[in-house]
Amino acid sequence: MTTTKKSDMQTRLFAIQGALLKAQQDIQHVEKTSKNPMGFVYTSIDGMVRAARDVLHKNGLVLSCKGWSIYVADDSKRVMSATYELCHPESGGVEMYSTVIPYPEGGRGEDKQYLGRQSSALKYLLRDLLMLPMLDSNEICAEVDKPQPAKKKPVRKVKKATPIREKFIQ
């Protein structure tokens, strides 16, 4: 019988993936606690980072940003690129993630645009990494369980009785 010994690299990869699986199982959704001026309720970057950091650390994982860059893409538009490292210190396992997002033109000051895009990229990376739903469980249940309006049956109009009709009715 031949046994295959896992390489050190495989062991580290399995350790980091196992820890990530546990983190995904430990978090179901992140509450939407912020509201914008138009009334839209959303998950703030602070809320997402706090919830994700707690569940990642609980499972022995550390996520850190390794760098940002802005460059011109093939379509001549500026984009931002970020590289993140997910580390499992106990095993020495490391996985690299990168994200590319459009860089906005005009509007707010360039520093606010840059920082806003960094926050958005991090928020979506955490959501994707932890496999968080777009809607939280209460919203899903509310949508599925929402009472539907009763369908009205079409009302059949009865024609007025004419002398000829009266004859047939009798």
Side-chain angles (χ1 to χ4, degrees):
M1 182 168 133
T2 309
T3 58
T4 308
K5 185 178 179 183
K6 290 183 199 172
S7 71
D8 191 40
M9 182 184 256
Q10 283 178 315
T11 302
R12 283 185 256 166
L13 177 65
F14 291 151
I16 198 169
Q17 291 297 321
L20 186 56
L21 173 63
K22 288 178 184 174
Q24 290 172 352
Q25 291 169 336
D26 286 347
I27 189 167
Q28 299 304 309
H29 67 276
V30 177
E31 294 294 327
K32 295 180 178 183
T33 57
S34 295
K35 191 174 191 178
N36 71 10
M38 294 166 286
F40 181 72
V41 180
Y42 63 98
T43 302
S44 69
I45 183 63
D46 294 335
M48 178 64 82
V49 168
R50 191 177 304 110
R53 184 185 55 219
D54 289 349
V55 76
L56 290 171
H57 289 179
K58 176 183 172 189
N59 290 283
L61 294 168
V62 178
L63 181 70
S64 56
C65 182
K66 293 300 177 184
W68 281 92
S69 62
I70 300 173
Y71 61 92
V72 177
D74 295 338
D75 60 359
S76 300
K77 299 213 180 200
R78 290 194 311 169
V79 295
M80 289 178 65
S81 173
T83 304
Y84 293 91
E85 180 181 81
L86 182 66
C87 185
H88 187 249
E90 185 180 316
S91 69
V94 174
E95 282 191 6
M96 301 300 289
Y97 297 92
S98 62
T99 183
V100 176
I101 57 174
Y103 189 81
E105 301 294 334
R108 303 182 297 172
E110 192 158 336
D111 60 332
K112 294 206 183 313
Q113 290 178 31
Y114 180 77
L115 295 171
R117 289 298 168 154
Q118 281 183 328
S119 295
S120 292
L122 177 58
K123 182 175 168 181
Y124 287 110
L125 173 72
L126 291 170
R127 188 195 75 191
D128 293 347
L129 188 66
L130 294 170
M131 302 295 291
L132 296 169
M134 293 286 287
L135 297 173
D136 64 33
S137 59
N138 294 333
E139 288 175 310
I140 293 168
C141 291
E143 192 61 33
V144 171
D145 298 338
K146 184 187 288 182
Q148 300 298 317
K151 292 184 180 181
K152 294 181 180 179
K153 292 183 181 179
V155 177
R156 188 173 156 201
K157 292 185 178 180
V158 179
K159 294 182 180 178
K160 285 185 174 180
T162 60
I164 296 173
R165 199 166 243 201
E166 286 279 333
K167 204 178 208 184
F168 287 113
I169 296 174
Q170 295 173 356

